[in-house]
Amino acid sequence: HATDPQGALFRLDRLAQRNGVPSQLPEIARTIDLVVITAGDNLGRRVTDLVRVRGLSGDQPCLETL
């Protein structure tokens, strides 16, 4: 659960860390190609963000909005 693409990638990393695994952000950035964020309301669900994951720059994911 995340409200933005970068938050989704960090959330995946935190879930791994909760299970005693060291940070996996570099691996996550290598294996995830696209992140889609959706939002829902009375009219249904819609895509609010669609980004391509380009890797890491330091400790931050490089994202390209599509």
Side-chain angles (χ1 to χ4, degrees), residues 9-37:
L9 297 173
F10 285 126
R11 175 89 168 128
L12 284 172
D13 189 42
R14 281 192 305 275
L15 287 171
Q17 290 177 43
R18 282 174 141 179
N19 289 295
V21 177
S23 177
Q24 297 297 305
L25 194 55
E27 186 66 26
I28 291 167
R30 277 193 300 274
T31 57
I32 302 292
D33 294 320
L34 296 172
V35 177
V36 179
I37 302 294

Side-chain angles (χ1 to χ4, degrees), residues 12 15-16 22 29 32 46 52 60 65:
L12 284 172
L15 287 171
I32 302 292
R46 65 188 182 289
R52 177 176 290 132
Q60 297 295 310
T65 301

